[in-house]
Amino acid sequence: MTFMPWTEELQVGIREIDEQHRWLVDQTNALHDALQGSARAEHVGELLEGLMDYVMNHFIVEENLFIRLKYPQTDAHQAQHNLFSGQVMSLLGRHDAGEEVGIEALELLKDWLIHHILKVDKAYVEYFQAHGLT
């Protein structure tokens, strides 16, 4: 059984963002699977590094849309992005220092998917659609 299945509920209806969110779900599942087996620290590190790359690229895409469309909640949304980025950087740094952070990373990702995508990201969909983006 998949830890976090991709569902239509996670879609925001913007192809590029949905593809990026789906990648995040896939990485969350890959981390879960790695932690169920005999995950080597290197594998967890690779997943965390990929997550950091994702965070940087995905947030740039969203934030550029916010600016272009003059989204009124840009500052609050960007603050959440900055907080999450900091948490991922901290986990990666702690991992690189030899600490086991896989389960903590999995919980962070699960919470992010449930709270941020399902609530915070969904909040911009109507605004984006009203401004011609689908």
Side-chain angles (χ1 to χ4, degrees):
M1 179 176 202
T2 303
F3 177 69
M4 291 283 306
W6 176 259
T7 65
E8 286 186 21
E9 186 180 17
L10 291 168
Q11 294 179 356
V12 297
I14 300 163
R15 192 177 107 297
E16 184 175 16
I17 291 174
D18 284 338
E19 288 172 358
Q20 291 174 352
H21 286 168
R22 182 150 194 165
W23 183 91
L24 183 59
V25 169
D26 290 344
Q27 287 303 107
T28 301
N29 289 320
L31 178 58
H32 176 265
D33 292 348
L35 294 172
Q36 298 307 303
S38 55
R40 294 185 347 260
E42 297 85 25
H43 185 62
V44 173
E46 289 169 5
L47 289 168
L48 288 172
E49 287 173 9
L51 177 60
M52 197 65 237
D53 288 343
Y54 161 86
V55 164
M56 302 309 285
N57 292 319
H58 174 66
F59 292 168
I60 287 169
V61 168
E62 274 192 353
E63 291 170 9
N64 282 338
L65 289 172
F66 296 161
I67 292 165
R68 189 176 95 210
L69 299 173
K70 297 178 177 54
Y71 181 56
Q73 298 299 318
T74 296
D75 291 342
H77 201 114
Q78 196 169 31
Q80 286 200 8
H81 286 176
N82 292 340
L83 176 65
F84 185 73
S85 297
Q87 291 170 314
V88 173
M89 289 277 287
S90 174
L91 286 170
L92 185 56
R94 289 171 43 212
H95 168 78
D96 288 347
E99 195 174 331
E100 290 186 26
V101 298
I103 299 218
E104 189 177 345
L106 187 63
E107 286 301 313
L108 175 66
L109 289 169
K110 182 175 126 186
D111 289 345
W112 181 260
L113 288 167
I114 291 169
H115 172 73
H116 189 80
I117 293 175
L118 288 177
K119 294 184 175 115
V120 179
D121 282 354
K122 289 279 186 162
Y124 63 61
V125 172
E126 188 175 317
Y127 182 89
F128 279 17
Q129 289 173 340
H131 288 80
L133 186 65
T134 57

